[in-house]
Amino acid sequence: MQHTETYKVKGMHCASCSAIIEKTLKKSEGVHSVEVNYGTEKAHVSFDDSIVNPHMLSQTIEPLGYSLVISSAKEMGMSESEHAGHLGLSQSKKEKLNEIADMKTKVMLAIPLAMLSIVIMTWDILGQFEFVGMPSPMIEELFHHLLPLMATYILFVVGKPYLLGFYRFLRYGKANMDTLIGIGTSVAYLYSFVVTAFEKTLAPFINTSHTYYDVTIVVIVFIALGKYLEARSKLRTGDAIEQLLNLQAKTALVIRNGKEEEISIDQVVHGDLIIVKPGGKIPVDGVITEGSSFVDESMVTGEPMPVQKNINDAVVAGTLNTTGSFTFKATKIGSETLLAHIIKMVEEAQGSRAPIQALADKISSVFVPIVLVFSFVVLGVWLFVGTGYLGFSQALSYGLTAFVGILVIACPCALGLATPTAIIVGVGKGAKEGILIKDAGTLEKLHKVDTLVVDKTGTLTKGKPELIGIKNLSQLSDNVIVSFLASLEQKSEHPLAHAVGEYAKLKNIRLNSVSDFESIKGKGLKGVIDGREYFAGNMKLVSDLNLSLDVKELEKETLQGKTPIILTTKNEVLAIVLVADAIKPETKEAVRNLSNLGVTIIMLTGDDKNTAQSIAREVGIRDVVAEVLPHDKLNKIKELQAQGHVVAMAGDGVNDAPALAQADVGIAMGTGTDVAIETAGITLLYGDISKLVKAIRLSKLTMRGIKQNLFWAFIYNLVGIPIAAGVLYPMFGLLLSPVFAGLAMAFSSVSVVGNSLRLKTKKL
């Protein structure tokens, strides 16, 4: 049976590591597909669990220095039920912090040795000038014996990962960034050791006063410092997941057997009645059964103002109760909750790869072997060509400098980090703004969208009828009119009646008792309030009562998508109440902002033409296609794509699912159906279409960051490698010291991660 899982990978140091792991796992029997992400250090593996299991997969890559983190519930500090509904959370955070702490300790101990080596190196260089005095013979002798000891400690303790990379290359033929550093520093160390051990024997042939112990020390320390700073920065890119996890309540106060009982979150079951007190986090999703309050939903929706919640209103896990107490019924628990769904989507999106990353991955996979070959070619050129001009001793010295410099500066880490770090930060920022992005490819495509197709109901409008206007034709106040109408309608099951009742509840309008209630089929209803008979219904009912009314005015309102409810007595028309699917408050501004971004908006709806055009005019949409069926929506998307447009589709219903799947970017309203949300690439929480504007801006910012990262990573290698090889020496007499190569390489990765983190500070 096919099984798909995401695992943390230990031992990854660079982009070429991910390529090695992918190639190795793909060769395993039973593995269908593998996707390894260096930025998140995770492997997404699809395999036949009747042939292979995770432990076997881990054993396949262990000889190469990698392993899959396969955690049990006990190891993760979770209950079995929590583990069963595990969402791919960052369970190795503690382990990663320990790893970073160990890196910090080694780096802090090694930095003084590197500083001392730099002092010795500087003194040695400046000693060639007459105005700088040479160290005393005793100090020079001390340095002569001290440097080999320091280099031995640095290479075999701090540089152990690079030596292992060298060893695995020799044994398995797999080369990565560790291999480059391992070969370069080992060659520098071994050459220096041989010169030191056989100084008198080699003196007639080469310059034995020149060794590379300082290069071994400083290069390894700089690279270790860079890897430490990179690891610490990368940890910050996943802040969004951690913040979402911290929203989850650990316990719930439930009512069982008539008593209040505090239980662990994993013990909550469907139907439990849960009490939430002021300041408490809502533990699971549910519906309020008693009480009311204002709930802060900002960490889920991005909206700062607390939302009033009353009986029958839905509440979401992770949100914060601010004022009153209430009781709610648990409807979704564990991995079913909206918060769990958000966390899962964010993590999967952060672990996915954008199409733009394919180029970087392809280059990284062949980069290391090419650099290895190139470094040996350059060394050979220096020896064969340089000896004729410089002499063997000088040519060997320069050749080794170039050889080590190329291997050090060519590390593809910055290239490998360019895309995933920006994607991680971008997806995380989107989640904080209430924009759930399913995968990196969607985030990349979104910035290219030039046409947005929107459904009307539930996307531009609220998706349910609301009382939007009162035409009072009597001496009574509007509140009295609503009171009479809502009192009559409370006994009706019609959706329009519900709209009037909701308005009365919102305005705290007191209802009256109704007697002799009667439903008049197809026309309306009637009842007696305070001894007087009232009627509520449509024009047919008014016609039956022989009452006069401006029919043309009513037809005009109907053409605009509004449904009139007429309140009358036997003798006169009291008021006309207009009910319609109200436009969302943010829709007009969202349409205007999308137009400013250069996006053409087309309304595609199954509603009648008059209603659709009325709504479109009100919100500022010019192109309207009405009275369409689901397959018509699908065909319209295909037609636009055939014309060369990059099309996004925003909708919320089951009937929108085919069109959402066909569109280049499918956008689901978070208030919509599960089918629409699962089909779409982006979900806007709580159906807020204004978040779509932010999503497009986020896509543009993220892609700009990726392109900046890739530019600097490519330029760094394109410029650095030739300089390290010695291309400037014939004209300017300049060679790039491996020390400077190590320093540049170390901070190139940090600069790429830092550039990605800048996205956190950008306003959408």
Side-chain angles (χ1 to χ4, degrees):
M1 182 178 174
Q2 185 165 329
H3 183 75
T4 303
E5 194 63 75
T6 301
Y7 303 99
K8 268 281 190 184
V9 183
K10 290 179 67 175
M12 290 182 69
H13 299 291
C14 65
S16 52
C17 291
S18 60
I20 290 170
I21 295 167
E22 273 192 15
K23 288 179 181 177
T24 306
L25 289 178
K26 281 178 181 177
K27 292 177 182 177
S28 301
E29 188 181 358
V31 174
H32 302 298
S33 65
V34 183
E35 191 175 281
V36 182
N37 190 313
Y38 171 48
T40 57
E41 296 179 6
K42 290 178 183 177
H44 188 71
V45 190
S46 179
F47 57 94
D48 188 335
D49 56 12
S50 64
I51 299 174
V52 69
N53 61 51
H55 292 282
M56 292 165 65
L57 293 174
S58 185
Q59 288 168 6
T60 304
I61 58 175
E62 279 170 11
L64 304 177
Y66 314 107
S67 62
L68 301 180
V69 178
I70 308 163
S71 301
S72 65
K74 184 177 179 181
E75 289 169 341
M76 293 165 63
M78 301 169 72
S79 68
E80 288 297 332
S81 58
E82 279 182 305
H83 190 253
H86 177 52
L87 303 170
L89 313 182
S90 186
Q91 70 268 32
S92 59
K93 175 77 179 287
K94 185 177 179 182
E95 185 181 14
K96 194 69 181 174
L97 287 171
N98 290 336
E99 183 183 326
I100 291 173
D102 181 58
M103 291 171 71
K104 182 180 179 181
T105 301
K106 286 181 178 177
V107 167
M108 291 302 110
L109 290 173
I111 283 177
L113 301 183
M115 293 299 103
L116 180 57
S117 297
I118 291 171
V119 169
I120 296 169
M121 192 187 309
T122 306
W123 203 342
D124 187 44
I125 293 170
L126 294 178
Q128 299 173 25
F129 301 97
E130 293 181 3
F131 59 85
V132 178
M134 292 292 289
S136 67
M138 188 172 73
I139 294 176
E140 195 171 354
E141 187 67 18
L142 175 64
F143 288 163
H144 186 69
H145 290 89
L146 188 61
L147 275 176
L149 293 175
M150 290 163 52
T152 302
Y153 167 76
I154 294 295
L155 180 64
F156 290 96
V157 177
V158 182
K160 183 179 177 182
Y162 312 120
L163 289 179
L164 289 173
F166 189 5
Y167 164 74
R168 291 185 188 110
F169 169 68
L170 294 175
R171 181 167 180 181
Y172 302 105
K174 303 288 186 180
N176 61 7
M177 168 255 182
D178 290 351
T179 307
L180 297 181
I181 306 303
I183 293 174
T185 53
S186 296
V187 167
Y189 176 83
L190 288 172
Y191 172 84
S192 304
F193 181 79
V194 170
V195 167
T196 304
F198 303 100
E199 186 174 356
K200 291 182 180 179
T201 306
L202 297 173
F205 308 101
I206 60 174
N207 182 5
T208 55
S209 66
H210 191 78
T211 60
Y212 293 93
Y213 289 124
D214 47 8
V215 169
T216 302
I217 294 167
V218 178
V219 165
I220 288 178
V221 172
F222 277 166
I223 290 172
L225 175 61
K227 296 303 288 181
Y228 161 67
L229 294 173
E230 176 193 312
R232 198 176 67 172
S233 298
K234 276 171 66 179
L235 203 64
R236 286 181 57 206
T237 61
D239 285 350
I241 287 284
E242 188 176 0
Q243 288 177 16
L244 288 170
L245 285 172
N246 289 336
L247 293 177
Q248 182 65 66
K250 301 296 185 290
T251 60
L253 187 62
V254 301
I255 301 173
R256 289 185 178 172
N257 300 320
K259 294 181 181 178
E260 293 183 10
E261 181 182 348
E262 188 168 8
I263 61 173
S264 173
I265 187 73
D266 64 292
Q267 294 177 316
V268 175
V269 297
H270 292 101
D272 265 341
L273 291 177
I274 302 172
I275 300 171
V276 184
K277 296 182 178 179
K281 285 182 180 178
I282 296 168
V284 295
D285 291 3
V287 176
I288 294 178
T289 58
E290 183 182 337
S292 64
S293 182
F294 282 87
V295 176
D296 181 355
E297 297 182 329
S298 60
M299 289 304 288
V300 177
T301 65
E303 301 303 325
M305 291 297 292
V307 180
Q308 186 172 12
K309 298 288 184 178
N310 299 305
I311 293 173
N312 295 327
D313 285 341
V315 289
V316 176
T319 54
L320 185 68
N321 180 29
T322 60
T323 52
S325 295
F326 60 85
T327 302
F328 75 95
K329 182 180 180 180
T331 57
K332 292 181 180 179
I333 61 173
S335 59
E336 303 169 346
T337 66
L338 177 61
L339 179 61
H341 187 68
I342 292 171
I343 294 169
K344 184 177 181 181
M345 283 189 71
V346 170
E347 188 172 63
E348 287 179 352
Q350 288 184 336
S352 63
R353 286 191 292 191
I356 196 173
Q357 192 177 339
L359 176 63
D361 287 347
K362 190 175 288 186
I363 292 173
S364 296
S365 65
V366 299
F367 193 70
V368 173
I370 290 174
V371 166
L372 273 172
V373 172
F374 182 68
S375 64
F376 279 103
V377 169
V378 168
L379 176 59
V381 170
W382 273 104
L383 289 175
F384 289 107
V385 178
T387 299
Y389 295 95
L390 305 170
F392 177 76
S393 179
Q394 192 76 345
L396 177 62
S397 177
Y398 286 172
L400 283 172
T401 298
F403 176 79
V404 177
I406 290 168
L407 293 177
V408 170
I409 204 166
C411 170
C413 288
L415 199 58
L417 288 168
T419 300
T421 52
I423 292 294
I424 291 167
V425 175
V427 170
K429 187 173 182 67
K432 290 180 183 178
E433 296 283 352
I435 305 161
L436 299 186
I437 300 161
K438 186 173 280 186
D439 55 52
T442 298
L443 185 60
E444 179 179 334
K445 281 186 282 188
L446 186 60
H447 86 288
K448 299 176 184 176
V449 166
D450 58 23
T451 304
L452 172 66
V453 175
V454 291
D455 179 41
K456 178 184 74 69
T457 307
T459 303
L460 301 176
T461 64
K462 294 182 179 180
K464 61 179 183 179
E466 287 186 0
L467 194 158
I468 61 169
I470 302 170
K471 294 196 173 187
N472 197 335
L473 306 175
S474 69
Q475 300 299 315
L476 302 172
S477 69
D478 286 357
N479 281 0
V480 171
I481 292 293
V482 172
S483 175
F484 287 165
L485 189 56
S487 299
L488 290 169
E489 298 280 16
Q490 68 180 326
K491 300 203 174 207
S492 170
E493 298 295 328
H494 198 282
L496 298 181
H498 181 72
V500 176
E502 284 294 310
Y503 182 86
K505 186 193 295 184
L506 184 67
K507 297 292 185 180
N508 293 317
I509 296 174
R510 186 178 63 84
L511 301 187
N512 302 279
S513 60
V514 179
S515 60
D516 298 329
F517 176 83
E518 182 184 337
S519 177
I520 306 169
K521 190 173 181 180
K523 299 176 182 178
L525 43 84
K526 68 177 181 176
V528 176
I529 301 174
D530 295 335
R532 191 176 186 186
E533 191 171 40
Y534 292 91
F535 297 82
N538 55 26
M539 272 301 298
K540 291 179 183 178
L541 181 63
V542 174
S543 179
D544 287 352
L545 294 171
N546 293 317
L547 300 176
S548 61
L549 193 61
D550 187 346
V551 177
K552 288 185 178 179
E553 183 65 26
L554 281 182
E555 286 176 348
K556 182 181 176 183
E557 298 290 355
T558 303
L559 286 174
Q560 292 178 356
K562 300 168 187 173
T563 302
I565 303 175
I566 308 163
L567 179 68
T568 77
T569 63
K570 276 188 176 181
N571 304 315
E572 63 176 329
V573 176
L574 299 177
I576 301 169
V577 171
L578 299 172
V579 175
D581 182 6
I583 294 169
K584 292 178 180 177
E586 68 273 8
T587 297
K588 291 181 184 178
E589 186 179 359
V591 169
R592 184 168 62 252
N593 289 334
L594 285 166
S595 298
N596 291 338
L597 288 172
V599 178
T600 300
I601 305 170
I602 301 171
M603 182 197 289
L604 205 59
T605 178
D607 212 339
D608 72 86
K609 195 173 183 179
N610 292 323
T611 301
Q613 289 180 339
S614 174
I615 296 288
R617 277 194 302 272
E618 194 169 345
V619 301
I621 295 176
R622 293 179 182 177
D623 299 321
V624 181
V625 182
E627 299 174 5
V628 294
L629 297 172
H631 71 271
D632 296 323
K633 292 184 179 182
L634 179 64
N635 291 335
K636 182 63 178 178
I637 299 286
K638 288 180 179 179
E639 180 188 323
L640 290 166
Q641 289 172 327
Q643 294 169 4
H645 295 289
V646 181
V647 183
M649 165 73 187
D652 74 330
V654 173
N655 63 327
D656 295 323
L660 288 170
Q662 175 63 34
D664 296 289
V665 179
I667 301 158
M669 301 294 111
T671 49
T673 63
D674 290 341
V675 174
I677 292 171
E678 286 301 319
T679 306
I682 291 176
T683 300
L684 306 180
L685 290 183
Y686 287 82
D688 185 349
I689 197 172
S690 67
K691 295 183 188 298
L692 180 53
V693 181
K694 292 184 176 182
I696 293 175
R697 286 175 182 156
L698 176 66
S699 176
K700 290 179 183 291
L701 286 170
T702 304
M703 292 311 300
R704 188 185 305 160
I706 289 173
K707 288 172 182 176
Q708 289 169 348
N709 288 346
L710 287 173
F711 172 79
W712 288 112
F714 277 121
I715 288 296
Y716 164 77
N717 282 305
L718 287 173
V719 173
I721 291 175
I723 293 175
V727 73
L728 297 179
Y729 185 79
M731 291 178 287
F732 304 104
L734 293 176
L735 269 179
L736 181 67
S737 167
V739 170
F740 292 111
L743 184 63
M745 193 228 80
F747 286 100
S748 65
S749 296
V750 177
S751 64
V752 164
V753 177
N755 188 51
S756 296
L757 287 170
R758 283 195 314 121
L759 183 57
K760 286 187 172 186
T761 64
K762 299 290 184 181
K763 187 175 181 181
L764 297 181

